[in-house]
Amino acid sequence: MSASLPGSRDLPASQYDLSTYWGRVRHSADLSDPRTLFTSSDGLEQAKQLVTQYKQGKVQAMSPDLWTAKKTIDSTLHPDTGEPVFLPFRMSCFVLSNLVVTAGMLTPNLSTIGTLGWQITNQSLNVAINASNANKSTPISTSTMVQSYFLAVGASCGVALGLNSLVPRLKHLSPGARTILTRLVPFAAVASAGALNVFLMRGEEIRRGIDVFPSESDAAKEKREAARLPLESIGKSKKAATLAVGETALSRVLNSSPIMVLPPLVLVRLQRTAWLSQRPRMVLPINLGLILTTSIFALPLALAAFPQRQAVKAESLEKDFWGKAGEGGMVEFNRGI
């Protein structure tokens, strides 16, 4: 993101009000805009140059071109490293990367092998996305990543196979109710394993803590920028890391809820119509269309549930931070995505 580029002058966090949920939704829609995936390397360099000029005081005011450059950088570069996130694992590619995998998991009447295959594929993608977008102030070791991957795969496959074997035994339910529950099994597997995946992949952050920064007033920020000084970390907090990872895990569940629930329920109703019953080949494209439409709207809503740059009272963290708070007794940290 822009924070990783040279210069002591910070850009505005967003052109929208991030203190409100709908402001964060509009900001998240920018971060997840698939059009930024088509930015060339030259276009990215131009965006970085324009933002750097602003941060170094050579450009005085925000302009439409500068907002576009910031959008490109925020959706492409990692905020801690300043390096481009691998394209398939960016939030702007999340909908496209998950489309085929989600469609596979939601395919009606999957065999046991099919269920295992798609759950493993989904967790592999989740591990890659979590690792690529995690807070990099506390690196993830390869052994931790491998261990987390196999635990998450085991959890998702166990839940999926367990529920698939349980639902047919619920004889007191009508066939229609059992069909609906069967279609919702992938959601239970994805939601539980997805949340577990985040905690496992980012467990090192909770054990070691993440960088915390003092909140600044506008006057203090202008003074620091005039002196060309960077905003320095005041230490690593385990409590901040727990909050950051917990919120990220919850946002993943919120994101998977509409994507894994609405399309299968709608598809069940559509399959009962004469039109789709006579055209079974249309099931797959309709399923893909339902998943794509739901994903496009659901992702910004889920990402906006919690601020990317989280501010909390210093007293809510370890005692080491109580005397180091900034404006209003607040400190900040990068939550990760």
Side-chain angles (χ1 to χ4, degrees), residues 135-148:
N135 186 305
K136 297 299 184 182
S137 64
T138 304
I140 303 172
S141 67
T142 302
S143 60
T144 299
M145 192 179 303
V146 172
Q147 181 184 25
S148 301

Side-chain angles (χ1 to χ4, degrees), residues 124 157 193 217 224 227 299 320:
S124 300
C157 292
S217 64
R224 177 178 59 78
L299 182 59
D320 295 344

Side-chain angles (χ1 to χ4, degrees), residues 34-299:
R35 292 175 297 179
T36 59
L37 298 173
F38 298 101
T39 303
S40 65
S41 56
D42 289 340
L44 179 60
E45 286 302 317
Q46 292 175 2
K48 291 167 67 175
Q49 291 176 10
L50 185 57
V51 168
T52 299
Q53 289 175 1
Y54 179 91
K55 295 188 68 175
Q56 293 177 341
K58 298 176 183 178
V59 175
Q60 297 303 315
M62 295 298 292
S63 65
D65 287 342
L66 192 49
W67 281 120
T68 300
K70 183 180 184 301
K71 172 182 174 178
T72 299
I73 290 171
D74 286 353
S75 62
T76 305
L77 303 184
H78 192 282
D80 295 326
T81 65
E83 296 295 325
V85 175
F86 187 46
L87 191 146
F89 307 144
R90 298 174 192 171
M91 283 298 113
S92 53
C93 197
F94 187 90
V95 171
L96 300 178
S97 298
N98 277 269
L99 179 60
V100 175
V101 176
T102 304
M105 289 189 293
L106 295 180
T107 300
N109 305 315
L110 267 181
S111 65
T112 299
I113 294 178
T115 298
L116 289 174
W118 284 115
Q119 289 296 332
I120 292 171
T121 302
N122 181 60
Q123 291 308 316
S124 300
L125 180 61
N126 283 344
V127 165
I129 292 175
N130 289 338
S132 299
N133 293 280
N135 186 305
K136 297 299 184 182
S137 64
T138 304
I140 303 172
S141 67
T142 302
S143 60
T144 299
M145 192 179 303
V146 172
Q147 181 184 25
S148 301
Y149 170 71
F150 283 109
L151 287 172
V153 166
S156 64
C157 292
V159 170
L161 294 180
L163 291 180
N164 275 335
S165 64
L166 174 64
V167 171
R169 300 176 185 174
L170 303 177
K171 302 298 184 182
H172 62 284
L173 298 179
S174 66
R178 289 200 298 271
T179 298
I180 291 175
L181 287 178
T182 300
R183 297 291 180 88
L184 294 180
V185 165
F187 164 66
V190 167
S192 57
L196 176 64
N197 195 312
V198 173
F199 278 100
L200 293 173
M201 286 294 298
R202 299 179 60 179
E204 198 65 21
E205 295 178 28
I206 297 176
R207 289 187 287 272
R208 297 173 57 185
I210 58 175
D211 284 327
V212 173
F213 304 86
S215 295
E216 292 182 298
S217 64
D218 291 339
K221 180 179 178 181
E222 291 178 3
K223 182 178 179 181
R224 177 178 59 78
E225 291 177 349
R228 299 186 178 278
L229 297 174
L231 182 61
E232 297 287 351
S233 167
I234 55 176
K236 290 183 180 289
S237 168
K238 296 179 181 179
K239 289 186 176 181
T242 301
L243 179 61
V245 175
E247 289 182 349
T248 301
L250 182 55
S251 71
R252 293 296 170 83
V253 175
L254 293 174
N255 182 48
S256 63
S257 299
I259 298 172
M260 302 296 290
V261 172
L262 293 180
L265 293 182
V266 172
L267 189 61
V268 166
R269 295 296 299 270
L270 291 176
Q271 286 180 303
R272 294 173 181 170
T273 64
W275 184 87
L276 191 56
S277 297
Q278 296 169 2
R279 299 168 176 83
R281 292 183 179 179
M282 293 299 297
V283 171
L284 178 57
I286 289 176
N287 198 19
L288 287 172
L290 289 171
I291 294 168
L292 177 61
T293 303
T294 308
S295 299
I296 289 173
F297 289 100
L299 182 59

